[in-house]
Coordinates of all heavy atoms in Angstrom, one line a residue:
M1 N -14.6 37.3 20.6 CA -15.0 35.8 20.5 C -15.2 35.5 19.0 O -16.3 35.6 18.5 CB -16.2 35.5 21.2 CG -16.0 35.6 22.8 SD -17.5 35.1 23.6 CE -17.0 35.6 25.3
G2 N -14.1 35.2 18.4 CA -14.2 34.9 16.9 C -13.5 33.6 16.6 O -12.7 33.6 15.7
E3 N -13.9 32.6 17.3 CA -13.3 31.3 17.0 C -14.2 30.4 16.1 O -14.7 29.4 16.6 CB -12.9 30.6 18.3 CG -11.3 30.2 18.3 CD -10.9 29.7 19.6 OE1 -10.9 30.4 20.6 OE2 -10.7 28.5 19.6
A4 N -14.5 30.8 15.0 CA -15.4 30.1 14.2 C -14.7 29.0 13.4 O -15.2 28.0 13.1 CB -16.1 31.0 13.2
V5 N -13.5 29.3 12.9 CA -12.8 28.4 12.1 C -12.0 27.4 12.9 O -11.1 27.8 13.6 CB -11.8 29.1 11.1 CG1 -11.1 28.1 10.2 CG2 -12.6 30.2 10.3
S6 N -12.4 26.1 12.9 CA -11.5 25.1 13.5 C -11.8 23.8 12.7 O -12.8 23.5 12.3 CB -12.1 24.9 14.9 OG -13.4 24.4 14.9
T7 N -10.6 23.1 12.5 CA -10.7 21.9 11.8 C -10.7 20.8 12.8 O -9.7 20.6 13.5 CB -9.5 21.8 10.8 OG1 -8.3 22.1 11.5 CG2 -9.7 22.7 9.6
P8 N -11.8 20.0 12.8 CA -11.8 18.9 13.8 C -10.8 17.8 13.3 O -11.0 17.3 12.2 CB -13.2 18.4 13.7 CG -13.7 18.9 12.3 CD -13.0 20.2 12.1
A9 N -9.9 17.5 14.1 CA -8.9 16.4 13.8 C -9.5 15.1 14.0 O -10.2 14.8 14.9 CB -7.7 16.7 14.6
G10 N -9.2 14.2 13.1 CA -9.6 12.8 13.3 C -11.1 12.7 13.1 O -11.7 11.7 13.6
D11 N -11.7 13.5 12.3 CA -13.1 13.4 12.1 C -13.4 13.4 10.5 O -14.3 14.0 10.1 CB -13.9 14.6 12.7 CG -15.3 14.4 12.8 OD1 -15.8 13.2 12.9 OD2 -16.1 15.4 12.7
L12 N -12.5 12.6 9.9 CA -12.7 12.5 8.4 C -13.7 11.5 8.1 O -13.6 10.4 8.5 CB -11.3 12.2 7.8 CG -10.3 13.2 8.0 CD1 -8.9 12.7 7.5 CD2 -10.5 14.5 7.2
A13 N -14.7 12.0 7.4 CA -15.8 11.0 7.0 C -15.3 10.3 5.8 O -14.8 10.9 4.8 CB -17.0 11.8 6.7
A14 N -15.5 9.0 5.7 CA -15.0 8.2 4.6 C -15.9 8.5 3.4 O -15.5 8.3 2.2 CB -15.2 6.7 4.9
A15 N -17.0 9.1 3.5 CA -17.9 9.4 2.4 C -17.4 10.5 1.6 O -17.7 10.8 0.5 CB -19.3 9.7 2.9
D16 N -16.4 11.3 2.2 CA -15.8 12.4 1.5 C -14.9 11.8 0.3 O -14.6 12.7 -0.6 CB -15.0 13.3 2.3 CG -16.0 14.1 3.2 OD1 -17.2 14.1 2.9 OD2 -15.5 14.7 4.2
F17 N -14.4 10.7 0.4 CA -13.5 10.2 -0.5 C -14.1 9.3 -1.6 O -15.2 8.6 -1.3 CB -12.4 9.4 0.2 CG -11.7 10.1 1.3 CD1 -11.7 9.7 2.5 CD2 -11.1 11.3 0.9 CE1 -11.0 10.5 3.5 CE2 -10.4 12.1 1.9 CZ -10.4 11.6 3.2
P18 N -13.6 9.3 -2.7 CA -14.2 8.4 -3.8 C -13.9 7.0 -3.4 O -12.9 6.7 -2.8 CB -13.4 8.8 -5.1 CG -12.1 9.5 -4.6 CD -12.5 10.1 -3.2
P19 N -14.7 6.1 -3.8 CA -14.5 4.7 -3.5 C -13.4 4.2 -4.4 O -13.0 4.7 -5.5 CB -15.8 4.0 -4.0 CG -16.4 4.9 -5.0 CD -16.0 6.4 -4.5
P20 N -12.6 3.2 -3.9 CA -11.5 2.6 -4.8 C -12.0 2.0 -6.0 O -13.0 1.3 -6.0 CB -10.9 1.5 -3.8 CG -12.0 1.2 -2.8 CD -12.8 2.5 -2.7
R21 N -11.2 2.3 -7.1 CA -11.6 1.9 -8.4 C -11.4 0.4 -8.6 O -12.2 -0.3 -9.2 CB -10.9 2.6 -9.5 CG -11.0 4.2 -9.4 CD -10.8 4.8 -10.8 NE -9.5 4.7 -11.3 CZ -8.7 5.7 -11.6 NH1 -9.2 7.0 -11.5 NH2 -7.5 5.5 -12.1
T22 N -10.4 -0.1 -8.0 CA -10.1 -1.5 -8.0 C -9.8 -2.0 -6.5 O -8.7 -2.1 -6.1 CB -8.8 -1.8 -8.8 OG1 -7.7 -1.0 -8.4 CG2 -9.1 -1.5 -10.3
P23 N -10.8 -2.3 -5.8 CA -10.8 -2.5 -4.4 C -9.9 -3.8 -4.2 O -10.2 -4.9 -4.8 CB -12.2 -2.8 -3.9 CG -13.1 -2.2 -5.0 CD -12.2 -2.3 -6.2
G24 N -8.9 -3.7 -3.3 CA -8.1 -4.9 -3.0 C -7.1 -5.2 -4.0 O -6.5 -6.3 -4.0
A25 N -6.9 -4.4 -5.0 CA -5.9 -4.7 -6.1 C -5.3 -3.5 -6.7 O -5.9 -2.4 -6.7 CB -6.7 -5.5 -7.2
C26 N -4.1 -3.6 -7.1 CA -3.5 -2.5 -7.8 C -3.9 -2.4 -9.2 O -3.9 -3.4 -10.0 CB -1.9 -2.7 -7.8 SG -1.1 -1.5 -8.8
E27 N -4.4 -1.3 -9.6 CA -4.9 -1.1 -10.9 C -4.0 -1.4 -12.0 O -4.3 -2.1 -13.0 CB -5.5 0.4 -11.1 CG -6.4 0.5 -12.3 CD -7.0 1.9 -12.3 OE1 -7.3 2.4 -11.2 OE2 -7.2 2.5 -13.3
E28 N -2.8 -0.9 -12.0 CA -1.8 -1.1 -13.0 C -1.3 -2.6 -13.0 O -1.0 -3.2 -14.0 CB -0.6 -0.2 -12.9 CG -0.8 1.1 -13.6 CD -1.7 2.1 -12.8 OE1 -1.8 2.0 -11.6 OE2 -2.2 3.1 -13.4
C29 N -1.1 -3.1 -11.8 CA -0.7 -4.5 -11.7 C -1.7 -5.5 -12.3 O -1.3 -6.4 -12.9 CB -0.4 -4.8 -10.2 SG 1.2 -4.3 -9.6
L30 N -2.9 -5.2 -12.2 CA -4.0 -5.9 -12.8 C -3.7 -5.9 -14.4 O -3.9 -7.0 -15.0 CB -5.3 -5.4 -12.4 CG -5.9 -5.8 -11.1 CD1 -7.3 -5.3 -10.9 CD2 -5.9 -7.3 -10.9
K31 N -3.5 -4.8 -14.9 CA -3.3 -4.6 -16.3 C -2.0 -5.3 -16.8 O -2.0 -5.9 -17.8 CB -3.2 -3.1 -16.7 CG -4.6 -2.4 -16.6 CD -4.5 -1.0 -17.0 CE -5.7 -0.1 -16.5 NZ -5.4 1.3 -16.6
E32 N -1.0 -5.1 -16.0 CA 0.3 -5.6 -16.5 C 0.6 -7.1 -16.0 O 1.5 -7.7 -16.5 CB 1.4 -4.7 -15.8 CG 1.3 -3.3 -16.3 CD 2.3 -2.4 -15.7 OE1 3.3 -2.9 -15.0 OE2 2.2 -1.2 -15.8
G33 N -0.3 -7.6 -15.1 CA -0.1 -8.9 -14.7 C 1.0 -9.1 -13.7 O 1.6 -10.2 -13.6
T34 N 1.4 -8.0 -13.0 CA 2.4 -8.1 -12.0 C 1.9 -8.2 -10.7 O 0.7 -8.0 -10.5 CB 3.3 -6.8 -12.1 OG1 2.6 -5.7 -12.2 CG2 4.2 -6.9 -13.4
R35 N 2.7 -8.5 -9.7 CA 2.3 -8.7 -8.3 C 2.6 -7.4 -7.5 O 3.6 -6.7 -7.8 CB 2.9 -9.9 -7.7 CG 2.4 -11.1 -8.3 CD 2.9 -12.4 -7.6 NE 2.3 -12.4 -6.3 CZ 1.3 -13.0 -6.0 NH1 0.5 -13.6 -6.9 NH2 0.8 -13.0 -4.8
W36 N 1.8 -7.2 -6.4 CA 2.1 -6.1 -5.5 C 2.3 -6.7 -4.1 O 1.9 -7.8 -3.8 CB 1.0 -5.2 -5.6 CG -0.3 -5.8 -5.2 CD1 -0.8 -5.9 -4.0 CD2 -1.3 -6.4 -6.1 NE1 -2.1 -6.6 -4.1 CE2 -2.4 -6.9 -5.3 CE3 -1.3 -6.5 -7.5 CZ2 -3.5 -7.5 -5.9 CZ3 -2.5 -7.2 -8.0 CH2 -3.5 -7.7 -7.2
V37 N 2.8 -5.9 -3.3 CA 3.1 -6.3 -1.9 C 2.1 -5.7 -1.0 O 1.3 -6.3 -0.3 CB 4.5 -5.8 -1.4 CG1 4.7 -6.2 0.1 CG2 5.6 -6.5 -2.2
E38 N 1.9 -4.3 -1.0 CA 0.9 -3.6 -0.3 C 0.3 -2.5 -1.2 O 0.9 -2.1 -2.1 CB 1.5 -3.0 1.0 CG 1.7 -4.0 2.1 CD 2.3 -3.4 3.3 OE1 1.9 -2.3 3.7 OE2 3.1 -4.1 4.0
L39 N -0.9 -2.1 -0.7 CA -1.6 -1.2 -1.6 C -1.8 0.2 -0.9 O -1.8 0.3 0.2 CB -3.0 -1.7 -1.9 CG -3.0 -3.1 -2.7 CD1 -4.4 -3.6 -2.7 CD2 -2.5 -2.9 -4.1
R40 N -1.8 1.2 -1.8 CA -2.2 2.5 -1.3 C -3.4 3.0 -2.2 O -3.3 2.9 -3.4 CB -1.0 3.4 -1.5 CG -0.1 3.3 -0.3 CD 0.9 4.4 -0.2 NE 2.1 3.8 0.5 CZ 3.2 4.5 0.5 NH1 3.4 5.5 -0.2 NH2 4.2 4.1 1.2
E41 N -4.2 3.6 -1.5 CA -5.4 4.2 -2.1 C -5.4 5.7 -2.2 O -5.2 6.3 -1.2 CB -6.7 3.7 -1.4 CG -8.0 4.0 -2.1 CD -9.2 3.6 -1.2 OE1 -9.1 2.6 -0.5 OE2 -10.1 4.4 -1.1
C42 N -5.5 6.2 -3.4 CA -5.5 7.7 -3.6 C -6.9 8.2 -3.2 O -7.9 7.8 -3.7 CB -5.2 8.0 -5.1 SG -5.3 9.7 -5.4
Q43 N -6.8 9.2 -2.3 CA -8.1 9.7 -1.7 C -8.6 10.8 -2.6 O -9.6 11.4 -2.3 CB -7.8 10.2 -0.3 CG -7.4 9.1 0.7 CD -8.4 8.0 0.8 OE1 -9.3 8.1 1.6 NE2 -8.3 6.9 0.0
A44 N -7.8 11.1 -3.6 CA -8.3 12.2 -4.6 C -9.1 11.7 -5.7 O -10.1 12.3 -6.2 CB -7.1 12.9 -5.1
C45 N -8.7 10.5 -6.2 CA -9.5 10.0 -7.3 C -9.9 8.5 -7.2 O -10.6 8.0 -8.1 CB -8.6 10.2 -8.6 SG -7.2 9.1 -8.7
G46 N -9.4 7.8 -6.1 CA -9.8 6.5 -5.9 C -8.9 5.4 -6.7 O -9.2 4.3 -6.6
H47 N -7.8 5.9 -7.1 CA -6.8 5.1 -7.7 C -6.2 4.2 -6.7 O -5.9 4.6 -5.6 CB -5.8 5.9 -8.5 CG -4.6 5.1 -9.0 ND1 -3.5 4.8 -8.2 CD2 -4.4 4.4 -10.2 CE1 -2.7 4.1 -8.9 NE2 -3.2 3.9 -10.1
V48 N -6.0 2.9 -7.0 CA -5.3 2.0 -6.0 C -4.0 1.5 -6.7 O -4.0 1.0 -7.9 CB -6.2 0.8 -5.7 CG1 -5.5 -0.1 -4.8 CG2 -7.5 1.2 -5.2
G49 N -2.9 1.8 -6.0 CA -1.6 1.5 -6.5 C -0.9 0.7 -5.5 O -1.2 0.8 -4.3
C50 N 0.2 0.1 -5.9 CA 1.1 -0.6 -4.9 C 2.1 0.3 -4.4 O 2.5 1.2 -5.0 CB 1.7 -1.8 -5.6 SG 2.4 -1.5 -7.2
C51 N 2.6 0.0 -3.1 CA 3.4 0.9 -2.4 C 4.9 0.6 -2.8 O 5.2 -0.1 -3.7 CB 3.2 0.7 -0.9 SG 4.0 -0.9 -0.4
D52 N 5.8 1.3 -2.1 CA 7.2 1.2 -2.4 C 7.8 -0.1 -2.1 O 8.9 -0.3 -2.6 CB 7.9 2.4 -1.6 CG 7.5 3.8 -2.1 OD1 6.9 3.8 -3.1 OD2 7.9 4.7 -1.4
S53 N 7.1 -1.0 -1.4 CA 7.6 -2.3 -1.1 C 7.4 -3.2 -2.4 O 8.0 -4.3 -2.4 CB 7.0 -2.9 0.1 OG 7.1 -2.1 1.2
S54 N 6.5 -2.7 -3.2 CA 6.2 -3.5 -4.4 C 7.2 -3.2 -5.5 O 7.7 -2.1 -5.5 CB 4.8 -3.2 -4.9 OG 3.9 -3.4 -3.8
P55 N 7.5 -4.1 -6.4 CA 8.5 -3.9 -7.4 C 8.1 -2.8 -8.4 O 9.0 -2.1 -9.0 CB 8.6 -5.3 -8.2 CG 7.4 -6.1 -7.7 CD 6.9 -5.5 -6.4
R56 N 6.8 -2.5 -8.6 CA 6.4 -1.6 -9.6 C 6.1 -0.1 -9.1 O 6.2 0.8 -9.7 CB 5.2 -2.1 -10.4 CG 5.3 -3.5 -10.9 CD 6.3 -3.6 -12.0 NE 5.7 -3.0 -13.2 CZ 6.5 -2.7 -14.3 NH1 7.7 -3.0 -14.4 NH2 5.8 -2.2 -15.3
Q57 N 5.8 -0.1 -7.8 CA 5.6 1.2 -7.1 C 4.6 2.0 -7.9 O 4.9 3.2 -8.2 CB 6.9 1.9 -6.9 CG 7.9 1.1 -6.2 CD 9.2 1.8 -6.0 OE1 9.4 3.0 -6.4 NE2 10.2 1.1 -5.4
H58 N 3.4 1.5 -8.1 CA 2.5 2.3 -8.9 C 1.8 3.4 -8.1 O 1.4 4.4 -8.7 CB 1.4 1.2 -9.4 CG 1.9 0.4 -10.5 ND1 1.8 -1.0 -10.5 CD2 2.5 0.7 -11.7 CE1 2.3 -1.4 -11.6 NE2 2.7 -0.5 -12.3
A59 N 1.8 3.3 -6.8 CA 1.2 4.4 -6.1 C 2.1 5.7 -6.2 O 1.7 6.8 -6.4 CB 1.0 4.0 -4.6
T60 N 3.4 5.5 -6.1 CA 4.4 6.5 -6.2 C 4.3 7.1 -7.7 O 4.4 8.3 -7.9 CB 5.8 6.0 -6.0 OG1 5.8 5.5 -4.6 CG2 6.8 7.2 -6.0
K61 N 4.2 6.2 -8.6 CA 4.1 6.6 -10.0 C 2.9 7.4 -10.2 O 2.9 8.4 -10.9 CB 4.0 5.3 -10.9 CG 4.4 5.5 -12.3 CD 4.5 4.2 -13.0 CE 4.5 4.4 -14.5 NZ 4.2 3.2 -15.3
H62 N 1.7 7.0 -9.6 CA 0.5 7.8 -9.8 C 0.6 9.1 -9.1 O 0.2 10.1 -9.7 CB -0.7 7.0 -9.1 CG -1.9 7.8 -9.0 ND1 -2.8 8.0 -10.1 CD2 -2.6 8.4 -8.0 CE1 -3.8 8.6 -9.8 NE2 -3.7 8.9 -8.5
F63 N 1.3 9.2 -8.0 CA 1.5 10.5 -7.3 C 2.3 11.4 -8.2 O 2.0 12.7 -8.3 CB 2.4 10.2 -6.1 CG 2.9 11.4 -5.5 CD1 2.2 12.5 -4.9 CD2 4.3 11.6 -5.4 CE1 2.7 13.6 -4.4 CE2 4.9 12.8 -4.9 CZ 4.1 13.8 -4.4
H64 N 3.4 10.9 -9.0 CA 4.1 11.8 -9.8 C 3.4 12.2 -11.1 O 3.5 13.3 -11.6 CB 5.4 11.0 -10.2 CG 6.4 11.0 -9.1 ND1 6.9 12.1 -8.5 CD2 7.0 9.9 -8.4 CE1 7.7 11.8 -7.6 NE2 7.8 10.5 -7.5
E65 N 2.6 11.2 -11.6 CA 1.8 11.5 -12.8 C 0.6 12.4 -12.6 O 0.3 13.3 -13.4 CB 1.5 10.2 -13.5 CG 2.7 9.5 -14.1 CD 2.3 8.2 -14.7 OE1 1.2 7.8 -14.6 OE2 3.2 7.5 -15.4
A66 N -0.1 12.0 -11.5 CA -1.4 12.7 -11.4 C -1.3 13.9 -10.4 O -2.1 14.8 -10.4 CB -2.5 11.7 -10.9
G67 N -0.2 13.8 -9.6 CA -0.1 14.9 -8.6 C -1.0 14.9 -7.4 O -1.3 15.8 -6.8
H68 N -1.5 13.6 -7.1 CA -2.4 13.5 -6.0 C -1.6 13.0 -4.8 O -1.0 12.0 -4.7 CB -3.4 12.4 -6.3 CG -4.3 12.8 -7.5 ND1 -5.0 11.8 -8.2 CD2 -4.7 14.0 -7.9 CE1 -5.8 12.5 -9.1 NE2 -5.6 13.8 -8.9
P69 N -1.5 13.9 -3.8 CA -0.6 13.6 -2.7 C -1.2 12.8 -1.5 O -0.6 12.3 -0.6 CB -0.3 15.1 -2.1 CG -1.5 15.9 -2.4 CD -2.2 15.2 -3.6
V70 N -2.6 12.7 -1.6 CA -3.3 11.9 -0.4 C -3.4 10.4 -0.8 O -4.2 10.0 -1.6 CB -4.7 12.6 -0.3 CG1 -5.2 12.1 1.1 CG2 -4.6 14.1 -0.3
M71 N -2.6 9.7 0.0 CA -2.6 8.3 -0.2 C -2.9 7.7 1.1 O -2.4 8.1 2.2 CB -1.3 7.8 -0.7 CG -1.0 8.3 -2.1 SD -1.8 7.3 -3.3 CE -1.1 8.1 -4.8
L72 N -3.7 6.7 1.1 CA -4.1 5.9 2.3 C -3.6 4.5 2.2 O -3.8 3.8 1.2 CB -5.6 5.9 2.5 CG -6.1 5.2 3.7 CD1 -5.9 6.0 5.0 CD2 -7.6 4.8 3.5
S73 N -2.8 4.1 3.2 CA -2.3 2.7 3.1 C -3.5 1.7 3.4 O -4.3 1.9 4.2 CB -1.3 2.5 4.3 OG -0.1 3.2 4.0
V74 N -3.5 0.7 2.5 CA -4.5 -0.3 2.6 C -3.8 -1.6 3.0 O -2.9 -2.1 2.3 CB -5.2 -0.5 1.3 CG1 -6.2 -1.5 1.4 CG2 -5.8 0.8 0.8
C75 N -4.2 -2.1 4.1 CA -3.6 -3.4 4.6 C -4.2 -4.5 3.8 O -5.5 -4.6 3.7 CB -3.8 -3.7 6.1 SG -3.0 -2.5 7.1
P76 N -3.4 -5.4 3.2 CA -3.9 -6.5 2.6 C -4.7 -7.4 3.5 O -4.2 -7.7 4.6 CB -2.8 -7.2 1.9 CG -1.6 -6.7 2.7 CD -2.0 -5.4 3.3
A77 N -5.8 -8.0 3.1 CA -6.6 -8.8 3.9 C -5.9 -10.2 4.0 O -6.2 -11.1 3.3 CB -8.0 -9.0 3.4
R78 N -4.9 -10.3 4.8 CA -4.1 -11.5 4.9 C -4.6 -12.4 6.0 O -4.7 -11.9 7.1 CB -2.7 -11.2 5.0 CG -1.9 -11.3 3.8 CD -0.4 -11.2 4.1 NE 0.2 -10.4 3.0 CZ 1.3 -9.7 3.1 NH1 1.9 -9.7 4.3 NH2 1.9 -9.1 2.1
R79 N -4.9 -13.7 5.8 CA -5.2 -14.5 6.8 C -3.9 -15.4 7.1 O -3.2 -15.5 6.2 CB -6.4 -15.4 6.5 CG -7.6 -14.6 6.2 CD -8.3 -14.1 7.5 NE -9.3 -13.0 7.3 CZ -10.0 -12.6 8.2 NH1 -10.1 -13.1 9.4 NH2 -10.8 -11.6 8.0
G80 N -3.9 -16.0 8.2 CA -2.7 -16.7 8.6 C -2.5 -18.0 7.8 O -2.4 -19.1 8.4
R81 N -2.4 -17.9 6.5 CA -2.2 -19.0 5.7 C -1.2 -18.7 4.6 O -1.3 -17.5 4.1 CB -3.6 -19.4 5.1 CG -3.6 -20.8 4.6 CD -4.9 -21.2 4.0 NE -4.7 -22.1 2.9 CZ -5.4 -22.2 1.8 NH1 -6.5 -21.3 1.7 NH2 -5.2 -23.0 0.8
G82 N -0.5 -19.6 4.2 CA 0.5 -19.3 3.2 C 1.9 -19.1 3.7 O 2.3 -19.5 4.8
V83 N 2.7 -18.3 3.0 CA 4.1 -18.2 3.3 C 4.2 -17.1 4.3 O 3.5 -16.0 4.3 CB 4.8 -17.7 2.0 CG1 6.3 -17.9 2.3 CG2 4.4 -18.5 0.8
R84 N 5.0 -17.4 5.4 CA 5.3 -16.4 6.3 C 6.8 -16.4 6.6 O 7.4 -17.4 6.6 CB 4.5 -16.7 7.6 CG 5.2 -17.3 8.7 CD 4.4 -17.5 9.9 NE 4.6 -18.8 10.5 CZ 4.3 -19.1 11.7 NH1 3.6 -18.3 12.4 NH2 4.5 -20.3 12.2
P85 N 7.3 -15.2 6.6 CA 8.8 -15.0 6.7 C 9.3 -15.6 8.0 O 8.6 -15.4 9.1 CB 8.9 -13.5 6.6 CG 7.7 -12.9 7.0 CD 6.6 -13.9 6.5
R86 N 10.3 -16.3 7.9 CA 10.8 -17.0 9.0 C 12.4 -16.6 9.2 O 13.1 -16.8 8.4 CB 10.8 -18.6 8.9 CG 10.1 -19.1 10.1 CD 10.0 -20.6 9.8 NE 10.6 -21.3 10.9 CZ 10.4 -22.6 11.1 NH1 9.6 -23.3 10.3 NH2 11.0 -23.2 12.1
V87 N 12.6 -15.9 10.3 CA 14.0 -15.6 10.6 C 14.6 -16.5 11.7 O 14.0 -16.6 12.8 CB 14.1 -14.1 11.0 CG1 15.5 -13.7 11.2 CG2 13.5 -13.2 10.0
G88 N 15.6 -17.2 11.3 CA 16.2 -18.1 12.3 C 15.3 -19.4 12.5 O 14.6 -19.7 11.6
G89 N 15.3 -20.0 13.6 CA 14.6 -21.3 13.7 C 15.5 -22.3 14.2 O 16.7 -22.0 14.6
E90 N 15.0 -23.5 14.2 CA 15.9 -24.7 14.6 C 17.0 -24.8 13.7 O 18.1 -25.2 14.0 CB 15.1 -25.9 14.8 CG 14.1 -25.9 15.9 CD 12.7 -25.7 15.5 OE1 12.4 -25.8 14.2 OE2 11.8 -25.5 16.3
L91 N 16.6 -24.7 12.4 CA 17.7 -24.8 11.4 C 18.2 -23.5 11.0 O 17.6 -22.4 11.3 CB 17.1 -25.5 10.1 CG 16.5 -26.9 10.4 CD1 15.8 -27.4 9.1 CD2 17.7 -27.9 10.7
G92 N 19.4 -23.4 10.3 CA 19.9 -22.2 9.8 C 20.5 -21.4 10.8 O 20.5 -20.2 10.7
I93 N 21.1 -22.0 11.8 CA 21.8 -21.1 12.8 C 23.2 -20.9 12.2 O 23.9 -21.8 11.7 CB 22.0 -21.9 14.1 CG1 20.7 -22.2 14.7 CG2 22.9 -21.2 15.0 CD1 20.8 -23.2 15.9
P94 N 23.5 -19.6 12.1 CA 24.8 -19.2 11.4 C 26.0 -19.8 12.1 O 26.2 -19.7 13.3 CB 24.8 -17.8 11.4 CG 23.8 -17.4 12.5 CD 22.8 -18.5 12.5
D95 N 26.8 -20.5 11.3 CA 28.0 -21.2 11.8 C 29.2 -20.3 11.5 O 29.6 -20.2 10.4 CB 28.1 -22.6 11.3 CG 29.3 -23.3 12.0 OD1 29.7 -22.8 13.0 OD2 29.8 -24.3 11.4
I96 N 29.7 -19.6 12.4 CA 30.8 -18.7 12.2 C 32.1 -19.4 12.4 O 32.4 -19.8 13.5 CB 30.7 -17.4 13.2 CG1 29.4 -16.7 13.0 CG2 31.9 -16.5 12.9 CD1 29.1 -15.7 14.1
S97 N 32.8 -19.7 11.3 CA 34.0 -20.3 11.4 C 35.2 -19.4 11.3 O 35.2 -18.6 10.4 CB 34.1 -21.4 10.3 OG 33.8 -20.8 9.0
M98 N 36.0 -19.6 12.2 CA 37.2 -18.6 12.2 C 38.2 -19.1 11.1 O 38.4 -20.2 11.0 CB 37.9 -18.7 13.6 CG 36.9 -18.4 14.7 SD 36.5 -16.6 15.0 CE 37.9 -16.1 15.9
P99 N 38.7 -18.1 10.4 CA 39.8 -18.5 9.4 C 41.1 -18.9 10.1 O 41.4 -18.6 11.1 CB 40.0 -17.2 8.6 CG 39.5 -16.1 9.5 CD 38.5 -16.7 10.5
Ligands
ZN1 ZN1 1.1 -2.0 -9.0
ZN2 ZN1 -5.3 9.9 -7.8

């Protein structure tokens, strides 16, 4: 009976990770004045960068520069206000005309 080593899955305490350095914002985008789409938080150092959907991809850049592989996706706190993507609708029905 030597089952001492076991890693509990799904029992990660948030206290083990450093707090985000720039909560709710991409650190580099704040400096450069650019915009981001979604954020990823580095669980190794607390760096917050924008994901691959963003034009600058600072999270990926941070991963390459710092070598920190642990990134957590951060959902932007979006409320149902503002622009929302609209596909189709009453207008804009594609009119396929035969040549
Ligand atoms: Zn960014
Ligand atoms: Zn990091």
Side-chain angles (χ1 to χ4, degrees):
M1 294 187 186
E3 235 175 289
V5 181
S6 68
T7 48
D11 193 30
L12 294 172
D16 287 348
F17 301 125
R21 302 206 295 233
T22 53
C26 171
E27 193 172 324
E28 270 82 20
C29 278
L30 280 181
K31 288 179 193 167
E32 298 175 13
T34 48
R35 293 186 64 88
W36 58 86
V37 178
E38 281 180 37
L39 297 171
R40 278 189 203 168
E41 187 185 316
C42 178
Q43 301 295 277
C45 70
H47 172 272
V48 181
C50 47
C51 74
D52 291 350
S53 302
S54 307
R56 308 291 288 167
Q57 304 181 3
H58 286 126
T60 305
K61 203 175 162 192
H62 173 75
F63 164 69
H64 286 300
E65 286 179 356
H68 296 155
V70 191
M71 295 280 182
L72 180 77
S73 288
V74 182
C75 291
R78 260 188 216 158
R79 300 280 163 172
R81 197 177 146 213
V83 195
R84 97 179 140 163
R86 230 178 127 161
V87 181
E90 290 108 8
L91 300 172
I93 300 167
D95 186 17
I96 304 167
S97 51
M98 307 281 279

